[in-house]
Amino acid sequence: MNAEHDAAFWADAVAEAYAAAAKPPLTRDLVDQVRATLLEALVEPLEPGVRDDARAGKADRLNAALDGFEIELRAVVGPRVASLDETSGAVVMEHRSEAGQPLRAFGGQ
């Protein structure tokens, strides 16, 4: 995978995977907002002394950006990145849950 397009590729792939399972469904404008938030999280320089693991670090940064998006919007909930396959470009998402039930928008459980 081309490193130049790495951040944009992952931001797009994760935004689309997130939007496919978010509740309530996202408008195209909100999908674009998620994409921009994810891209910013991936290209933002790390603080000095922080090491970025290519897989876990990237997923953690993407998930933190999704957390921030949901907190800011306060009206949507969706899955988080479970894994990123650098070779195939596949994104695996999973829903967070408590007591075996998916989290809900508008106040959690």
Side-chain angles (χ1 to χ4, degrees), residues 95-104 108-109:
H95 283 280
R96 301 168 297 151
S97 67
E98 290 183 19
Q101 298 297 314
L103 296 178
R104 294 176 298 197
Q109 297 291 313

Side-chain angles (χ1 to χ4, degrees), residues 8-95:
F9 172 84
W10 289 117
D12 185 55
V14 172
E16 292 300 324
Y18 176 82
K23 301 291 183 211
L26 300 182
T27 64
R28 186 61 13 208
D29 287 342
L30 286 175
V31 174
D32 291 342
Q33 185 179 339
V34 169
R35 183 178 294 108
T37 299
L38 295 172
L39 183 58
E40 183 179 327
L42 290 174
V43 298
E44 180 178 287
L46 292 172
E47 294 180 27
V50 176
R51 185 179 174 280
D52 185 21
D53 178 299
R55 288 189 181 89
K58 191 177 296 175
D60 290 344
R61 291 173 98 176
L62 291 165
N63 286 332
L66 291 172
D67 289 344
F69 171 78
E70 289 181 0
I71 289 168
E72 182 180 318
L73 199 58
R74 300 192 126 173
V76 67
V77 66
R80 294 298 183 269
V81 176
S83 67
L84 303 170
D85 186 322
E86 298 284 342
T87 304
S88 69
V91 175
V92 176
M93 304 291 281
E94 66 183 4
H95 283 280

